[in-house]
């Protein structure tokens, strides 16, 4: 039997309205709406057309129903500027990534969640408390994605969701963070810390503009602890000093500048002048010479073990009734691609074990806690 919820999820995942899908398929909006409400069932011909236009296997629509991820369960920055179809596409991607996580959990024992709930806490104090609980002290975090995974947070990538920097939620007791991989490496680290802030501060209440500001304050304090910033930068540092110092915390120049103003190292006037100067140098809209994007160590290990058992991405996609490229879009592009004439293990992307500049390579990202996992036989 065709699943009404899967019809809705696939359409929203592709960023289509009912009207647009009707135009693509030649099926009336009224009929499509009835299918998604479960009031009517599409025949084999129509479900074939819908599947083709949405780019999903026909089998996908005959699986068990999948509950949607509620809009109220996540927080999007500047939600008034985010078109509903793009928001729903990101939520759809997140929900399907959760199905991939379920598939993985059935086969591997992953780190248990260890995310403190500090609702109503001051963001800076909350950041300090999480650092203390996780044994980080005030040292810079080498890799945010690895850190989140080590503490039981499932981290997946978002593709084709350019308007969404990221979002987080807790689903069936498991915390999730979804990150847009189209931003700079520095922005990706801040986004990961921002979403951790939401999980820590707002797990039991809906987010909004105030919550976004709190998550930003948490992220700044978590990535750039006050004591470490004060210990390593002089009063009133110049833009050149800031550009050199940002490498210590692997953050954007503007983010460090804002933090310096926040902790009192830069006066209001110097803060404004520094922002103007950094903007002239191209650091307002981008991060020239920035760091590589962080990737998932846990997912890399999962796919390495699966590959050893001759389980391919196509096998996973078939089990989940999804297109293979959809799977790769959730896992930071970690699914290996064979290179003719190249011997040895396939290399992963930067920041993963075995990759050039990876966590096990000299000069790699490395450091910090590493997520452990065990195969469930």
């Amino acid at each position: 039997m065709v699943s009404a919820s899967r019809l809705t999820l696939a359409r929203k995942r592709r960023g289509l309205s009912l009207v647009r899908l009707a135009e693509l398929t030649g099926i009336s909006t009224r009929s499509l709406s009835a299918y998604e409400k479960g009031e009517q069932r599409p025949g084999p011909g129509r479900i074939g057309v819908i599947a083709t236009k949405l780019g999903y296997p026909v089998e996908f629509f005959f699986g068990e129903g999948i509950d949607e991820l509620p809009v109220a369960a996540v927080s999007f920055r500047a939600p008034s500027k985010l078109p509903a179809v793009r928001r729903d596409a990101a939520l759809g991607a997140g929900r399907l990534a959760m199905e991939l996580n379920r598939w993985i959990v059935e086969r591997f024992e992953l780190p248990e969640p260890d995310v403190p709930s500090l609702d109503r806490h001051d963001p800076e104090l909350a950041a300090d408390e999480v650092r203390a609980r996780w044994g980080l002290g005030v040292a810079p975090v080498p890799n945010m994605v690895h850190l989140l995974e080590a503490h039981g947070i499932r981290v997946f990538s978002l593709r084709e969701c350019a308007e969404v920097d990221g979002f987080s939620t807790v689903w069936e007791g498991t915390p999730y963070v979804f990150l847009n991989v189209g931003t700079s490496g520095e922005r990706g680290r801040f986004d990961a810390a921002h979403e951790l802030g939401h999980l820590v501060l707002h797990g039991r209440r809906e987010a909004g503009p105030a919550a976004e500001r709190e998550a930003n304050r948490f992220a700044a304090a978590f990535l750039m602890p006050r004591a470490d910033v004060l210990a390593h930068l002089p009063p009133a540092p110049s833009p050149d000093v800031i550009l050199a110092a940002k490498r210590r915390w692997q953050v954007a120049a503007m983010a460090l500048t804002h933090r310096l103003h926040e902790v009192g190292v830069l006066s209001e006037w110097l803060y404004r002048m520094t922002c103007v100067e950094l903007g002239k140098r191209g650091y307002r809209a981008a991060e020239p010479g920035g760091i590589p994007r962080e990737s998932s160590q846990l997912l890399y290990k999962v796919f390495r073990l699966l590959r050893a058992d001759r389980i391919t991405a196509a096998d996973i996609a078939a089990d989940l009734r999804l297109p293979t490229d959809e799977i790769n879009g959730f896992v930071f592009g970690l699914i290996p691609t064979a290179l003719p004439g190249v011997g040895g293990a396939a290399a992963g992307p930067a920041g993963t074990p075995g990759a050039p500049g990876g966590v096990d390579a000299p000069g790699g990202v490395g450091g910090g806690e590493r997520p452990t996992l065990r195969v469930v036989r």
Side-chain angles (χ1 to χ4, degrees):
M1 181 185 301
V2 173
S3 167
S5 63
R6 285 176 175 253
L7 282 168
T8 304
L9 179 59
R11 173 180 62 79
K12 290 185 175 181
R13 172 67 188 98
R14 296 308 188 201
L16 300 177
S17 65
L18 279 170
V19 172
R20 180 57 181 151
L21 182 58
E23 293 172 351
L24 293 173
T25 60
I27 302 171
S28 71
T29 304
R30 175 176 292 184
S31 293
L32 291 172
S33 178
Y35 300 157
E36 292 189 4
K37 293 176 181 177
E39 297 171 351
Q40 296 180 25
R41 297 175 187 170
R46 286 196 165 186
I47 194 62
V49 170
I50 292 171
T52 298
K53 295 301 181 182
L54 293 178
Y56 280 87
V58 170
E59 294 78 14
F60 173 81
F61 301 97
F62 289 87
E64 293 183 4
I66 301 178
D67 294 334
E68 287 189 73
L69 189 56
V71 175
V74 303
S75 176
F76 292 105
R77 293 174 220 182
S80 61
K81 299 179 181 179
L82 182 63
V85 291
R86 303 313 304 160
R87 176 203 66 200
D88 291 344
L91 291 174
R95 187 64 186 87
L96 290 176
M98 291 174 178
E99 290 297 293
L100 173 59
N101 181 71
R102 177 182 57 78
W103 189 95
I104 293 172
V105 168
E106 289 173 354
R107 293 157 178 83
F108 297 90
E109 186 175 295
L110 305 184
E112 290 294 323
D114 175 26
V115 182
S117 178
L118 302 175
D119 193 15
R120 309 294 179 184
H121 280 55
D122 175 80
E124 179 130 0
L125 295 178
D128 290 343
E129 187 165 338
V130 175
R131 275 182 156 270
R133 176 164 175 164
W134 288 358
L136 299 175
V138 296
V141 178
N143 190 302
M144 273 301 304
V145 174
H146 296 179
L147 180 67
L148 298 184
E149 291 178 328
H151 292 277
I153 300 172
R154 310 295 186 245
V155 185
F156 292 97
S157 55
L158 291 174
R159 188 178 63 182
E160 301 168 1
C161 299
E163 299 92 340
V164 179
D165 292 321
F167 65 91
S168 56
T169 192
V170 177
W171 186 263
E172 297 181 348
T174 299
Y176 289 88
V177 165
F178 302 95
L179 299 174
N180 186 334
V181 294
T183 60
S184 70
E186 290 87 350
R187 180 60 179 269
R189 282 171 56 82
F190 195 91
D191 289 341
H194 176 100
E195 299 308 331
L196 174 61
H198 278 307
L199 292 173
V200 170
L201 297 169
H202 311 127
R204 298 180 182 177
R205 56 188 168 110
E206 290 187 17
E212 289 301 304
R213 290 191 293 271
E214 290 174 356
N216 279 335
R217 287 184 58 208
F218 177 97
F222 192 82
L223 290 172
M224 298 166 279
R226 179 184 296 266
D228 201 43
V229 169
L230 295 177
H232 286 87
L233 281 171
S238 68
D240 288 332
V241 170
I242 291 172
L243 290 176
K246 82 184 190 74
R247 301 189 188 100
R248 173 176 176 79
W249 296 282
Q250 299 182 69
V251 295
M254 287 294 188
L256 178 55
T257 302
H258 186 273
R259 182 64 172 155
L260 292 174
H261 176 51
E262 193 171 55
V263 301
V265 173
L266 287 177
S267 67
E268 179 68 25
W269 183 83
L270 275 177
Y271 169 65
R272 292 181 182 276
M273 292 300 99
T274 302
C275 287
V276 169
E277 176 60 25
L278 291 175
K280 290 179 180 177
R281 300 189 191 187
Y283 286 91
R284 183 175 295 279
E287 207 62 30
I291 62 174
R293 285 281 320 193
E294 295 177 348
S295 187
S296 167
Q297 187 178 68
L298 186 147
L299 292 171
Y300 180 86
K301 289 182 176 181
V302 164
F303 286 110
R304 184 176 61 189
L305 291 170
L306 291 173
R307 191 163 64 249
D309 283 345
R310 300 185 182 278
I311 297 174
T312 67
D315 296 326
I316 302 171
D319 280 354
L320 295 175
R321 311 182 191 203
L322 289 172
T324 303
D325 68 329
E326 188 82 288
I327 300 293
N328 208 21
F330 301 146
V331 299
F332 299 87
L334 284 170
I335 295 175
T337 302
L339 298 177
V342 178
T352 59
V359 294
D360 288 343
V365 178
E369 295 185 65
R370 297 188 176 187
T372 58
L373 68 160
R374 183 169 63 84
V375 181
V376 178
R377 297 294 186 186

